[in-house]
C-alpha cells in the first residue's frame, strides 16, 4: 500500500513568496495531521483534521499559515508570505481512529526560505 | 494537558551493548503509547505501540518497550544495538477516550538521539 505522499520533497523559495505543500493521506484514514520539525523547537503539531474538518489549529504559528482539506485524499498547507524563520521540515501524517490512532508519516517537505 | 518527557536528549552507546531510552508521560486519562524512529533526512517510522493488553510490547528491529502505569513510563529497550540503530527516537502518547479532547492526536516528546559507536 502507498504511504502518505507529500510534495514537493524539497523547496527553496525567496522571502515573501507563497509556498504550498501538498499531501495525500493513506486511503481510508480519517485523521490528517500537519507537523513542523526544526532543530530549535522539535516536532510541533500545526493542525489536524478529522473527516476533512479542522479539529485543532492552535499550533498554526500565525495568519500567514493556512491549511485546507477539500476531500479525503488531499490536503494543502500554505504559507503566504513566507519568511526565513519558516524554514523547516513539514510532515504530513494520517491515521485511522479505529486502529488505535497509529499515525503514519510522510517523508516530509524540506522548505528553505532565503 | 498531556505531556511526554524523554529524559535523555542524547544517548551514546557502543555496538552490541544494551540500551534503554526513557520516556514518561503525564495524562489524566488512559493513553495509547508509541515509539517512533527517525533516520537522518527521513520521516518518522513506527517502532512499536501499546494500545492495551500485555504491558511488554515488541516492535521492529529487536526493540521492545514496557508500559508501567504506576510509574507512567514507557521505556524503550534493546539488548544489543547495531550501528544501524543510530537515529533519533521519539516517544508519543495519545488519548484513547473517544470524544475526549486529546483523542486522535499524539503528543510527542523532544526526542532522544541514539548514537551507536563501533
Amino acid at each position: 500500500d502507498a504511504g502518505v505522499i507529500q510534495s514537493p520533497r524539497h523547496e527553496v523559495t525567496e522571502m515573501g513568496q507563497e509556498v504550498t505543500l501538498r499531501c495525500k493521506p493513506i486511503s481510508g484514514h480519517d485523521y490528517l495531521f500537519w507537523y513542523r520539525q526544526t532543530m530549535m523547537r522539535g516536532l510541533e503539531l500545526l493542525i489536524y483534521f478529522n473527516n476533512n474538518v479542522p479539529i485543532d489549529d492552535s499550533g498554526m504559528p500565525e495568519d500567514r499559515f493556512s491549511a485546507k482539506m477539500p476531500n479525503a485524499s488531499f490536503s494543502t498547507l500554505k504559507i503566504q508570505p513566507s519568511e526565513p524563520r519558516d524554514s523547516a521540515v513539514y510532515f504530513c501524517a494520517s491515521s485511522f481512529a479505529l486502529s488505535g490512532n497509529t499515525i503514519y508519516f510522510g517523508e516530509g517537505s524540506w522548505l528553505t526560505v532565503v | 494537558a498531556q505531556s511526554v518527557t524523554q529524559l535523555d536528549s542524547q544517548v551514546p552507546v557502543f555496538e552490541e551493548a544494551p540500551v534503554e531510552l526513557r520516556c514518561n508521560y503525564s495524562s489524566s486519562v488512559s493513553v495509547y503509547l508509541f515509539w517512533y524512529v527517525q533516520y537522518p533526512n527521513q520521516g518518522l517510522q513506527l517502532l512499536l505501540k501499546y494500545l492495551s493488553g500485555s504491558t511488554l510490547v515488541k516492535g521492529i528491529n529487536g526493540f521492545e518497550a514496557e508500559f508501567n502505569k504506576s510509574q507512567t513510563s514507557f521505556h524503550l529497550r534493546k539488548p544489543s544495538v547495531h550501528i544501524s540503530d543510530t537515529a533519533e527516537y521519539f516517544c508519543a502518547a495519545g488519548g484513547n477516550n473517544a470524544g475526549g479532547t486529546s483523542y486522535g492526536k499524539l503528543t510527542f516528546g523532544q526526542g532522544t538521539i541514539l548514537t551507536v559507536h563501533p
Side-chain angles (χ1 to χ4, degrees):
Chain A
D1 287 338
V4 176
I5 300 172
Q6 293 186 244
S7 64
R9 288 296 314 278
H10 299 272
E11 175 138 353
V12 180
T13 191
E14 292 185 347
M15 182 173 62
Q17 296 297 306
E18 178 180 291
V19 173
T20 300
L21 307 178
R22 298 173 177 80
C23 175
K24 177 179 170 56
I26 294 172
S27 178
H29 281 192
D30 52 357
Y31 281 84
L32 183 137
F33 307 83
W34 282 101
Y35 287 88
R36 178 173 69 176
Q37 187 178 38
T38 62
M39 289 289 292
M40 292 296 293
R41 301 172 70 94
L43 195 63
E44 305 173 274
L45 176 63
L46 300 179
I47 185 172
Y48 75 103
F49 297 82
N50 177 219
N51 293 323
N52 313 338
V53 176
I55 302 300
D56 183 355
D57 65 353
S58 60
M60 296 286 263
E62 49 198 276
D63 291 345
R64 297 184 297 106
F65 286 70
S66 63
K68 294 182 180 179
M69 192 166 185
N71 57 62
S73 59
F74 184 67
S75 177
T76 60
L77 177 68
K78 187 174 293 186
I79 308 172
Q80 167 63 19
S82 58
E83 298 182 3
R85 60 192 167 123
D86 302 329
S87 297
V89 185
Y90 291 82
F91 288 105
C92 179
S94 69
S95 71
F96 180 52
L98 294 181
S99 71
N101 292 329
T102 304
I103 291 180
Y104 296 89
F105 284 79
E107 290 296 305
S109 291
W110 302 70
L111 174 65
T112 302
V113 183
V114 298
Chain B
Q2 203 166 69
S3 67
V4 176
T5 303
Q6 292 183 239
L7 297 162
D8 306 292
S9 59
Q10 297 191 52
V11 173
V13 65
F14 286 106
E15 194 172 19
E16 297 184 7
V19 70
E20 178 179 80
L21 306 184
R22 297 179 294 168
C23 172
N24 286 92
Y25 68 94
S26 160
S27 175
S28 60
V29 298
S30 297
V31 294
Y32 297 139
L33 295 162
F34 305 81
W35 276 98
Y36 286 83
V37 60
Q38 185 179 29
Y39 299 104
N41 301 320
Q42 295 186 25
L44 279 74
Q45 302 173 30
L46 180 68
L47 262 183
L48 50 79
K49 61 185 176 183
Y50 170 79
L51 303 182
S52 65
S54 173
T55 57
L56 183 63
V57 180
K58 294 188 183 298
I60 63 172
N61 300 339
F63 284 93
E64 63 181 31
E66 186 159 18
F67 170 57
N68 188 319
K69 187 174 182 178
S70 63
Q71 297 186 7
T72 60
S73 69
F74 191 56
H75 301 332
L76 181 70
R77 302 185 182 99
K78 186 170 182 178
S80 176
V81 294
H82 302 287
I83 296 287
S84 59
D85 293 323
T86 295
E88 189 163 15
Y89 292 78
F90 291 90
C91 182
N96 64 7
N97 177 26
T101 57
S102 62
Y103 190 72
K105 68 177 183 180
L106 297 185
T107 299
F108 283 83
Q110 286 299 303
T112 297
I113 297 174
L114 174 65
T115 304
V116 181
H117 299 284

